[in-house]
Amino acid sequence: MSYDDRLDAAEEAHLVSLTAAEADGDERTIEAALRPRSLDEVVGQGGCASSWAWCSRPPATAVAPPTTCCSPGRPGSARPRSR
C-alpha cells in the first residue's frame, strides 16, 4: 500500500468518524467538558441580557396603537356586504 493510499484511507476514516451519528466515549467526555453547565458560564451572557432588557419592559408612555386601516374610503366600503 502506497503512502497516498494510506493517506486516503486515513482521511476517509476521519471523515466517517466526523459524520458518525453517535459519539464515542472520548468525544462525549470532550464535548461535556466544553459545554457550559449554566447560563452564567456563557461568555457575554450578562451583557446580552442587559442589552435586551428593554424588550421585557412596558413602554414608558401608553399611546394608543396606530390604526391598521389602509382604505381611504368610508367605513364598510372595503368589503362588499353579503345579503
Side-chain angles (χ1 to χ4, degrees), residues 34 51 63:
L34 294 175
S51 67
V63 178

Side-chain angles (χ1 to χ4, degrees), residues 14-50:
H14 179 66
L15 290 176
V16 167
S17 72
L18 290 177
T19 58
E22 295 181 10
D24 63 3
D26 291 338
E27 290 174 347
R28 289 178 193 268
T29 304
I30 292 169
E31 289 175 4
L34 294 175
R35 198 171 290 129
R37 291 177 184 83
S38 68
L39 287 178
D40 294 333
E41 293 180 11
V42 177
V43 175
Q45 183 68 23
C48 181
S50 64

